[in-house]
Amino acid sequence: MMMAYIVITLMSLLFPSSNQPDVLRYVSWNEFVHHMLAKGEVEEVVVRPELDLVTIYLHDNAVIKGKRVEHKTYHMNIVDVEKFEEKLRLAEESLGIRPDQGVPVVYERNQESTWLLLVSLVAVALMILLMFRTGQIKTPQGMDFLSQLGRAKYTIVDPLNPSGKGVRFKDVAGLKEAKVEIMEFVDYLKRPERYKSLGAKIPKGVLLLGPPGCGKTMLAKAVATEANVPFLAMAGSEFIEMIGGLGAARVRDLFREARKRAPCIVYIDELDAIGRRRGAGNLEGATGEEEQTLNQLLVEMDGMATKDGVIMLASTNRANVLDKALLRPGRFDRHILIDLPTLQERKEIFEQHLKSINLELAPSTYSVRLSQLTPGFSGADIANVCNEAALHAARNKQKIVSAENLEYAVERVVGGTEKRIKVLNTEEKKVIAFHECGHALVGWLLKYTDALMKVSIVPRTTNVLGFAQYLPSDQKLYSREELLEHMCMALGGRVAESLIFNKVTTGAQDDLKKVTKMAYAQIKQYGMNEDIGPLAFPTEEETKNFIGGTPFSRKLANVMDEQARLLIAKAYRKTEMVLSENKDKLKLMAEALLQRETLNYLDIEALIGPPPHGKKKLIEVLDLGPVTPEKAKPNSPKSPQPTESEAQTSK
């Protein structure tokens, strides 16, 4: 606001208006009609549509209200410019003024002058800014913000001036391997003599990589508290501005401050904001603001000037877009991967978050079983589950949080809350029941599928019409037989619809997408097809910049398509055979599901007997309550495709 005021003031001085009166005199419509128009004192009316303004010019020696006026120019605001002249002619007609004696109306549209004024404003603003930065103009008192534009707006954690209790390594659950690596740098800053005596040099930069919500920023906060040296933190987006050169200036200022406080740590969160690969999308030789900022960062990290005592720490979840010069040894030498937590790490994270909740039992009572039920969850997901459980208990006016609250929280995070309003007719509900039971029964009868926990046809607020809950494992490697059975389970809903109703619906859209992805992954990435052979090709995302479109010929592409159709047809036939042989069990499950709307493991076991291949993995946690529903699909019945297998095949 201050900058705009300065520019406008300077423009009014540099470009004064020649026809602007000293004082703007405004009149109302009533005064204009009865005291000016009716007396015949109006010489001309000028309409300025872009300003919603009418300028009234009176005759010389005009008399208004019995007095001769000294000024012949008046102004009047109008609401509807397009209808002003029509309104004026009606007023003249009511006053008895003939059409040939009407007041002339002139329209002024100064578009060119308006554009020239805007261009002049921008030019003057840039000129003033340049003069302030070069010191040709001294900054007036109260306008220090102009000199601060090139300053880095960092957050500092200084051990000499602590600002309260911070996050420590013991507060960061899981991340054991990452903490071991990062503590090496903390130990170097605390006891550098141990390393220098052996001639060792600490790496200059550490880059934290991993998916969102896995604890990169929290680990950086722990480093800031534990390192016992100044910690300068800044977000990558805070370097970028519309005005060219400010990003590079802020990088210089940040490292200038860091060298003053050495030894210290400089932390940049979301490094991809300024570390994108250079030349992407730009013409050859073109240099944008982001590239200037990145170039300055590269120089500051490993340039001609000495940077002893300044360690760089950064984090990003988009390492694939970073410039290679940024990742080389001498800049970011260490790359620490912070991936989704393992089973033991999930247990620790649950215990950490459950400490702050008033539980019915000790946190360790729930943590072991909850960690088994939440594969693929990040630390942020686990924190959200714990918080939703506490909120649900508070809404129900409970004094403690129980296992039922945790079950509700898991279902809410993954599938959404139950939709209380009835939105399905009887026929649709029947189709969904058979669809879900088709998935569940195939998974129940086959050997390598995940353990079924619950089937529901209760609609969710996320437009999910039904879903199945499974107990997926942390399995990373899959054989052909295991992938085929997972494909069969995904096709169970479509096959059940076809067998029972002799027709299919749109409910299997998401299932077919998963099956198609799994089939092509086996052929193109895993080398599991005999006709194609042990070949692996890049995914669609990896081939976006590939010259020629794809790294294989059209003939080979046709063979891949044919083999994918054959593989899916094989899975379809096997699914059809399983359901045809157990059609009575399918009808029994669907009828029970229509009556109860939800069936758990014990209900299904009582209806059709125990699974033929045993209780599979982790069924010992059946009595705990909370389970992990599979990721739901919108606007269609839930396909029970295993979460972990889907993640594996989509790589």
Side-chain angles (χ1 to χ4, degrees):
M1 294 297 293
M2 182 66 73
M3 174 63 77
Y5 175 77
I6 295 170
V7 172
I8 293 173
T9 305
L10 288 172
M11 286 302 301
S12 63
L13 296 174
L14 294 173
F15 305 101
S17 177
S18 58
N19 57 357
Q20 183 178 3
D22 296 336
V23 180
L24 298 179
R25 296 172 176 80
Y26 285 85
V27 297
S28 64
W29 171 260
N30 187 57
E31 186 176 359
F32 164 69
V33 172
H34 296 288
H35 296 285
M36 297 181 180
L37 188 62
K39 303 297 183 182
E41 301 292 353
V42 181
E43 179 182 6
E44 186 182 50
V45 174
V46 177
V47 181
R48 294 181 171 87
E50 67 274 5
L51 301 176
D52 291 335
L53 185 70
V54 171
T55 303
I56 306 164
Y57 293 97
L58 304 181
H59 292 291
D60 294 335
N61 301 322
V63 177
I64 298 178
K65 298 181 182 180
K67 296 181 181 179
R68 180 174 296 176
V69 296
E70 298 180 0
H71 304 280
K72 56 179 295 184
T73 304
Y74 291 84
H75 301 275
M76 179 173 59
N77 290 321
I78 54 177
V79 178
D80 195 344
V81 178
E82 303 297 332
K83 295 183 179 180
F84 170 75
E85 187 172 357
E86 179 182 352
K87 186 177 180 181
L88 175 62
R89 299 310 176 196
L90 291 175
E92 290 178 339
E93 183 179 353
S94 65
L95 293 173
I97 301 174
R98 293 186 303 179
D100 58 339
Q101 295 180 348
V103 175
V105 179
V106 178
Y107 288 86
E108 278 191 6
R109 291 181 171 87
N110 297 328
Q111 294 182 356
E112 295 182 0
S113 61
T114 303
W115 280 109
L116 287 174
L117 180 61
L118 290 175
V119 173
S120 301
L121 285 172
V122 173
V124 171
L126 293 176
M127 180 181 66
I128 295 173
L129 178 62
L130 181 62
M131 295 174 72
F132 273 120
R133 291 184 62 185
T134 56
Q136 298 180 28
I137 299 180
K138 293 184 178 179
T139 306
Q141 188 175 3
M143 290 173 56
D144 293 337
F145 71 96
L146 290 173
S147 61
Q148 300 293 326
L149 286 175
R151 299 293 300 275
K153 302 174 184 178
Y154 52 82
T155 301
I156 184 169
V157 179
D158 196 335
L160 300 178
N161 299 303
S163 57
K165 183 180 179 181
V167 179
R168 296 191 174 274
F169 285 130
K170 64 179 181 180
D171 301 323
V172 182
L175 306 181
K176 288 185 177 180
E177 296 179 358
K179 284 193 289 187
V180 169
E181 289 196 58
I182 206 71
M183 287 173 67
E184 177 183 342
F185 302 97
V186 175
D187 187 62
Y188 172 82
L189 292 169
K190 290 182 176 179
R191 289 174 288 273
E193 297 81 9
R194 179 190 304 177
Y195 299 88
K196 290 181 179 179
S197 62
L198 297 174
K201 296 181 180 179
I202 201 72
K204 295 183 180 179
V206 184
L207 183 61
L208 305 178
L209 310 171
C214 290
K216 297 184 293 296
T217 305
M218 180 171 289
L219 187 60
K221 291 180 180 179
V223 173
T225 307
E226 297 276 5
N228 214 20
V229 296
F231 187 93
L232 281 66
M234 193 167 174
S237 58
E238 293 177 343
F239 290 98
I240 306 300
E241 293 288 351
M242 292 297 293
I243 302 174
L246 282 185
R250 290 175 179 177
V251 171
R252 287 192 295 270
D253 184 71
L254 176 64
F255 278 85
R256 186 185 305 116
E257 184 68 25
R259 286 191 291 271
K260 292 179 181 178
R261 299 174 181 267
C264 72
I265 298 175
V266 174
Y267 173 62
I268 298 180
D269 196 9
E270 303 298 341
L271 181 65
D272 53 275
I274 59 172
R276 287 176 175 269
R277 191 177 296 110
R278 290 170 292 182
N282 294 331
L283 297 175
E284 187 176 356
T287 304
E289 172 65 9
E290 292 184 6
E291 291 195 4
Q292 291 185 19
T293 307
L294 174 58
N295 291 335
Q296 187 62 45
L297 178 62
L298 296 175
V299 171
E300 293 293 338
M301 291 187 67
D302 189 23
M304 298 298 292
T306 178
K307 307 294 187 302
D308 291 340
V310 178
I311 295 178
M312 191 74 184
L313 181 65
S315 61
T316 180
N317 50 34
R318 302 178 64 195
N320 58 313
V321 303
L322 295 180
D323 194 275
K324 292 182 179 179
L326 198 60
L327 303 177
R328 72 162 177 80
R331 292 195 174 110
F332 284 109
D333 332 62
R334 291 285 184 90
H335 302 162
I336 301 177
L337 178 63
I338 301 178
D339 209 344
L340 294 172
T342 62
L343 178 66
Q344 179 62 28
E345 290 174 340
R346 290 197 300 273
K347 174 182 175 296
E348 296 176 5
I349 295 172
F350 266 112
E351 290 182 355
Q352 183 68 30
H353 289 293
L354 290 174
K355 286 180 182 178
S356 58
I357 296 177
N358 187 15
L359 294 171
E360 184 179 8
L361 302 173
S364 58
T365 308
Y366 306 95
S367 62
V368 175
R369 297 176 291 182
L370 284 173
S371 62
Q372 294 175 334
L373 296 166
T374 52
F377 273 43
S378 66
D381 294 329
I382 293 174
N384 194 22
V385 168
C386 298
N387 186 57
E388 287 292 345
L391 292 175
H392 184 251
R395 283 195 297 269
N396 293 336
K397 299 181 180 179
Q398 298 175 217
K399 294 184 179 180
I400 55 175
V401 178
S402 62
E404 289 75 14
N405 300 126
L406 291 170
E407 178 181 4
Y408 167 85
V410 173
E411 292 187 1
R412 180 183 177 90
V413 169
V414 179
T417 56
E418 294 183 358
K419 203 168 187 178
R420 305 300 179 183
I421 303 175
K422 184 178 180 180
V423 295
L424 299 175
N425 56 41
T426 305
E427 186 63 26
E428 288 178 331
K429 199 171 184 180
K430 187 176 180 181
V431 172
I432 295 172
F434 275 95
H435 184 106
E436 295 301 329
C437 289
H439 288 307
L441 185 58
V442 173
W444 187 273
L445 298 175
L446 295 181
K447 181 179 180 180
Y448 297 111
T449 53
D450 291 324
L452 174 68
M453 302 296 291
K454 182 189 291 185
V455 180
S456 175
I457 56 172
V458 178
R460 299 277 166 169
T461 54
T462 53
N463 292 330
V464 177
L465 303 180
F467 70 91
Q469 292 180 332
Y470 291 88
L471 197 61
S473 64
D474 283 323
Q475 184 177 351
K476 302 299 182 183
L477 300 177
Y478 292 85
S479 64
R480 292 184 185 180
E481 293 75 16
E482 291 172 331
L483 291 175
L484 181 65
E485 291 194 0
H486 286 146
M487 293 173 64
C488 292
M489 187 171 62
L491 290 170
R494 166 60 69 91
V495 176
E497 291 180 19
S498 178
L499 287 176
I500 301 300
F501 303 102
N502 200 25
K503 63 179 182 180
V504 294
T505 66
T506 59
Q509 178 187 3
D510 192 57
D511 302 329
L512 299 179
K513 287 182 179 179
K514 293 176 182 178
V515 171
T516 304
K517 183 184 293 185
M518 293 175 69
Y520 275 101
Q522 294 178 60
I523 296 169
K524 297 173 66 174
Q525 277 94 49
Y526 302 150
M528 291 183 173
N529 185 267
E530 295 178 356
D531 291 349
I532 302 300
L535 300 178
F537 297 100
T539 61
E540 292 183 1
E541 294 182 357
E542 295 172 345
T543 57
K544 285 182 179 179
N545 299 325
F546 188 83
I547 300 175
T550 56
F552 45 81
S553 65
R554 292 184 180 180
K555 182 178 179 180
L556 186 56
N558 292 334
V559 176
M560 290 179 181
D561 295 338
E562 183 65 25
Q563 292 300 315
R565 284 192 291 268
L566 292 175
L567 182 58
I568 295 173
K570 179 181 177 181
Y572 191 95
R573 286 194 300 269
K574 182 174 181 178
T575 307
E576 196 172 32
M577 181 183 67
V578 171
L579 291 180
S580 298
E581 294 175 353
N582 298 274
K583 199 171 182 179
D584 55 336
K585 296 180 180 179
L586 177 63
K587 292 181 178 179
L588 186 63
M589 286 180 60
E591 291 172 359
L593 186 59
L594 284 170
Q595 292 178 358
R596 307 182 194 179
E597 293 190 332
T598 300
L599 296 176
N600 58 30
Y601 178 88
L602 298 177
D603 296 331
I604 298 173
E605 189 177 36
L607 284 172
I608 62 175
H613 298 286
K615 292 188 176 182
K616 301 185 181 179
K617 304 171 183 177
L618 305 177
I619 283 299
E620 63 271 11
V621 299
L622 268 175
D623 56 342
L624 90 88
V627 289
T628 304
E630 182 190 19
K631 192 173 182 181
K633 65 181 177 184
N635 300 320
S636 59
K638 178 70 190 88
S639 161
Q641 177 68 15
T643 303
E644 289 301 302
S645 63
E646 179 191 355
Q648 180 71 13
T649 56
S650 63
K651 289 183 181 178

